[in-house]
């Protein structure tokens, strides 16, 4: 978007870098993340109103520590350093940062020493709760810097330059545990950087629709891979607003969808006025999954088969020049992260490779947005609540919620069990309180007793987690009465199951999905 006021976040490897950008956007100011090795020219071209240095896992004095071009301090742009970012400012400008004798991780209390724009609204000599995560500390300040606040172990917990708009905080204002975090970010954005709140979802929709209309022109046609999830649905609606009937959405049934999902998706798209080309390819997908137990192989087969079928169906549609995708900002960030390509925990299902293969140009209207912003757009567009707050569902579908080989029998068992989980979570009011809740079919049979008969049947695991962005997650302490209902219904109503267990693992060390 063409916005005058925006904040640039430079990523030094912190796990909460995305959270910084999200917090700024919640203030209705646009924020974007770039890796810390972005050039001075790139930074100047972005023309930020302010810059934030993120935290990071390293120490500024390490041999391979991520640093930054010192000319950034001469640009006249306000800078706020967070944790490692604060230490970096001090280190580069001639101060001293050393390993601390006493590390600070978790809750701490800062005491305000001096009043300044960054701490506007806070009381002098009062203590406030903050969240620390560091084993180094600032030992000596460079010339013209002074302390605004301290903690018991950090004499320079908040620092500022006397002449330039350079600030640092030793704690993390972006996390909810810091009670004054939003206040500090608000002060930096509005009091120091003088930004105006211009970033809103209605203005985003208006400008995005205009851009798509101009890009596609009067005759161009666009295809969109539709799943029925919020990302692809909002993408399709935005493109449809711009070009109407010249958008054709392709919905591929891969055979590993939830109970009644194809029918529900087609019904919704009809209600939204979207033209959908439906392909039932379940037989092809399941035949290729036969005998496959490795989760990565399952994901790869589903991804490659999807591309093959999508390409075949798309070729039937004439004059197509564009492919619309529901790519979100976290996907974009991960591809250019300071940390670089991470170890593969699991591959993500997407239509990667199609644009080049079919000579199509990409339209990604959501690539600047976080998930919560997509939901705000969906609300603005009038989508029903059950779509806006539909829980995330993996691209490989139930195939990665069946541990090991996938077949029709196991799919039927899991579909029925999963439908009961969703039904009871909705009925109890818990569905919209959690990030995800679903059933997993464990490839283990256990002994049970039903009536006077001995049984030997499958185990269903229930997974229910709370999270903000799926980067971390904690298991949900559901009421015993709800767990009891879930267990009783699944065992009584789903043939082939005689035991239900509840997954109480957090992420990390476990992942949300079992495969």
């Amino acid at each position: 978007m063409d916005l005058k006021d925006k904040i640039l976040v430079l990523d030094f490897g912190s796990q909460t870098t995305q959270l910084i950008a999200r917090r700024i956007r919640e203030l209705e100011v646009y924020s974007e993340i770039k890796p810390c090795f972005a050039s001075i020219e790139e930074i100047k071209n972005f023309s930020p109103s302010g810059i934030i240095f993120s935290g990071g896992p390293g120490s500024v004095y390490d041999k391979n520590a991520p640093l930054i071009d010192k000319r950034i301090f001469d640009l006249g742009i306000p800078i706020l350093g967070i944790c490692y970012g604060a230490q970096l400012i001090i280190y580069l400008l001639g101060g001293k940062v050393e390993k601390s004798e006493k590390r600070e991780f978790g809750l701490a209390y800062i005491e305000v020493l001096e009043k300044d724009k960054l701490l506007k609204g806070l009381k002098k000599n009062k203590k406030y709760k903050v969240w620390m995560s560091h084993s180094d500390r600032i030992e000596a300040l460079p010339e013209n810097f002074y302390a605004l606040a301290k903690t018991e172990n950090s004499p320079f917990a908040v620092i500022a330059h006397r002449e330039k708009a350079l600030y640092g905080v030793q704690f993390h204002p972006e996390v909810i545990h810091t009670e004054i975090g939003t206040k500090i970010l608000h002060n930096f954005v509005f009091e120091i950087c003088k930004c105006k709140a211009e970033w809103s979802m209605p203005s985003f929709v208006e400008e995005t629709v205009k851009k798509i209309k101009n890009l596609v022109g009067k005759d161009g046609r666009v295809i969109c891979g539709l799943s029925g999830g919020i990302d692809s649905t909002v993408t399709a609606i935005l493109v449809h607003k711009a070009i109407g009937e010249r958008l054709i959405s392709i919905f591929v049934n891969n055979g590993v969808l939830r109970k009644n999902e194809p029918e529900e998706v087609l019904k919704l798209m009809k209600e939204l006025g979207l033209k959908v080309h439906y392909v039932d390819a379940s037989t092809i997908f399941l035949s290729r999954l036969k005998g496959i137990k490795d989760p990565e192989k399952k994901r790869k087969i589903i991804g490659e088969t999807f591309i093959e079928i999508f390409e075949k169906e798309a070729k039937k549609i004439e004059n197509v020049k564009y492919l619309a995708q529901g790519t979100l900002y976290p996907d974009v960030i991960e591809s250019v992260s300071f940390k670089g390509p991470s170890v593969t925990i699991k591959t993500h299902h997407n239509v990667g490779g199609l644009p080049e293969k079919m000579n199509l140009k990409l339209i990604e209207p959501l690539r600047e947005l976080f998930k919560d912003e997509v939901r705000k757009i969906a609300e603005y567009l009038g989508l029903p609540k059950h779509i806006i707050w539909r829980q995330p569902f993996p691209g490989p579908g139930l195939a990665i919620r069946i541990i090991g080989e996938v077949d029709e029998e196991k799919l039927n068992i899991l579909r029925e069990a999963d439908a009961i989980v969703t039904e009871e979570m909705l009925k109890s009011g818990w569905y919209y309180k959690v990030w995800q809740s679903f059933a997993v079919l464990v490839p283990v049979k256990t002994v049970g007793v039903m009536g006077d008969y001995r049984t030997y049947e499958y185990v269903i695991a229930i997974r229910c987690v709370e999270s903000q962005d799926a980067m971390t997650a904690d298991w949900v302490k559901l009421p015993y009465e709800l767990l009891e209902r879930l267990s009783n219904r699944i065992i009584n109503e789903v043939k082939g199951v005689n035991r239900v267990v509840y997954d109480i693992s957090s992420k990390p060390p476990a992942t949300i999905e079992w495969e």
Side-chain angles (χ1 to χ4, degrees), residues 92 296 335 339 349:
L92 291 176
E296 272 302 296
S335 68
K339 292 167 285 216
H349 175 58

Side-chain angles (χ1 to χ4, degrees), residues 378-398:
E379 283 181 326
Y380 174 71
L381 294 171
L383 264 68
K385 181 182 178 181
H386 71 276
I387 293 298
I388 296 171
W389 294 103
R390 186 191 193 210
Q391 293 176 2
F393 185 62
L398 299 180

Side-chain angles (χ1 to χ4, degrees), residues 214-259:
N214 292 336
L215 177 69
V216 177
K218 293 180 180 179
D219 304 314
R221 302 179 90 185
V222 179
I223 54 172
C224 176
L226 202 64
S227 69
I230 188 170
D231 302 338
S232 65
T233 301
V234 170
T235 296
I237 292 173
L238 291 175
V239 177
H240 184 261
K241 271 180 164 290
I243 64 169
E245 293 286 302
R246 288 182 286 133
L247 166 71
I248 295 94
S249 297
I250 300 176
F251 176 39
V252 178
N253 181 351
N254 58 15
V256 287
L257 300 177
R258 289 169 287 197
K259 186 178 180 181

Side-chain angles (χ1 to χ4, degrees), residues 164-222:
K164 297 180 179 180
L166 300 178
Y167 297 87
V169 293
Q170 186 59 78
F171 51 89
H172 288 270
E174 69 274 22
V175 302
I176 57 172
H177 312 289
T178 297
E179 63 175 329
I180 54 171
T182 300
K183 184 71 178 168
I184 285 176
L185 292 174
H186 180 281
N187 288 343
F188 179 71
V189 169
F190 296 111
E191 298 293 330
I192 295 166
C193 300
K194 305 296 182 187
C195 291
K196 290 179 182 176
E198 301 175 309
W199 175 251
S200 70
M201 293 306 100
S203 63
F204 174 86
V205 169
E206 185 182 342
E207 189 169 330
T208 300
V209 169
K210 195 187 301 179
K211 277 184 181 176
I212 295 170
K213 192 179 287 186
N214 292 336
L215 177 69
V216 177
K218 293 180 180 179
D219 304 314
R221 302 179 90 185
V222 179

